[in-house]
């Protein structure tokens, strides 16, 4: 079993993120919440959030497909691949939430450093607020991990299904091309 090549990792992670984004945007649009949500968001933050998610998706896909990619599945077949997708999606969900918390803290600190330092010092005096904040971040991060895991597992099943259809449609031509290139 060889490692998945970087092009496969790039294509799979980009496809998954774009499909997920389109589904979420469609759901938000049909519920009427898209205009209100995006009105104050802006282009640069949108691109940065998408880029951050894309980097997380590439890293997770690389780890999920490290056992050989969609073509050369690991021991345990599709079930094992779905588990890798679940774990990868859970990592993405948790890392996304934690990244947002860190960025919001940094933005608050950069915009008004004296207020951020004094509020952090006041917060440090009241340890119960710090503990409450940490528990909330832990809970939300865990919830995002579970949701991300389900999405990751389903994404891998979609990827494997589409890969199977593409392989059947291309048939022996792919095998001939591989033997001609020496793979």
């Amino acid at each position: 079993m060889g490692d998945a090549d970087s092009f496969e990792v790039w294509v799979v992670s980009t496809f998954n993120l774009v499909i997920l984004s389109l589904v979420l945007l469609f759901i938000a649009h049909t519920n009427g919440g898209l205009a209100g949500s995006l009105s104050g968001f802006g282009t640069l933050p949108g691109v940065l959030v998408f880029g951050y998610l894309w980097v997380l998706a590439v890293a997770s896909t690389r780890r999920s497909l490290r056992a050989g990619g969609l073509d050369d599945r690991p021991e345990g077949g599709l079930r094992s691949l779905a588990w890798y997708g679940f774990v990868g999606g859970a990592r993405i969900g948790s890392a996304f939430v934690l990244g947002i918390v860190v960025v919001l803290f940094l933005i608050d600190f950069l915009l008004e450093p004296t207020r951020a330092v004094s509020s952090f010092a006041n917060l440090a005096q009241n340890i119960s607020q710090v503990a409450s904040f940490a528990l909330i971040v832990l809970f939300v991060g865990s919830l995002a991990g579970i949701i991300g895991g389900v999405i990751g597992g389903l994404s891998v099943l979609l990827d494997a299904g589409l890969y199977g259809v593409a392989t059947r449609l291309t048939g022996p031509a792919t095998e001939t091309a591989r033997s001609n290139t020496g793979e």
Side-chain angles (χ1 to χ4, degrees):
M1 285 187 206
D3 288 340
D5 67 13
S6 58
F7 183 70
E8 180 181 11
V9 169
W10 184 86
V11 168
V12 169
S13 56
T14 303
F15 172 78
N16 288 337
L17 183 57
V18 168
I19 292 298
L20 177 64
S21 298
L22 289 176
V23 167
L24 293 176
L25 287 172
F26 179 76
I27 291 170
H29 176 66
T30 56
N31 290 334
L34 188 61
S37 301
L38 294 179
S39 64
F41 198 60
T43 302
L44 182 61
V47 169
L48 291 175
V49 167
F50 187 85
Y52 177 54
L53 274 172
W54 186 77
V55 167
L56 291 174
V58 168
S60 177
T61 302
R62 181 173 291 121
R63 288 186 56 90
S64 296
L65 298 181
R66 73 181 177 270
L70 293 171
D71 188 34
D72 191 11
R73 293 188 185 140
E75 191 76 27
L78 192 57
R79 180 177 296 161
S80 176
L81 199 59
W83 174 249
Y84 288 147
F86 179 86
V87 170
R91 287 181 182 145
I92 291 172
S94 297
F96 182 70
V97 167
L98 294 177
I100 287 176
V101 169
V102 168
V103 166
L104 290 176
F105 178 77
L106 289 175
I107 287 173
D108 189 42
F109 182 75
L110 292 174
L111 292 178
E112 294 188 45
T114 56
R115 184 178 65 90
V117 169
S118 67
S119 65
F120 185 73
N122 291 337
L123 190 63
Q125 290 174 355
N126 192 349
I127 197 71
S128 66
Q129 288 180 342
V130 172
S132 297
F133 179 74
L135 283 174
I136 290 169
V137 169
L138 181 65
F139 175 76
V140 173
S142 299
L143 185 62
I146 292 169
I147 293 169
V150 170
I151 291 170
L154 292 174
S155 294
V156 165
L157 294 176
L158 175 66
D159 296 338
L162 290 175
Y163 181 80
V165 168
T167 302
R168 287 192 181 147
L169 290 176
T170 58
T174 305
E175 296 302 320
T176 305
R178 283 189 181 164
S179 63
N180 289 340
T181 60
E183 289 184 24

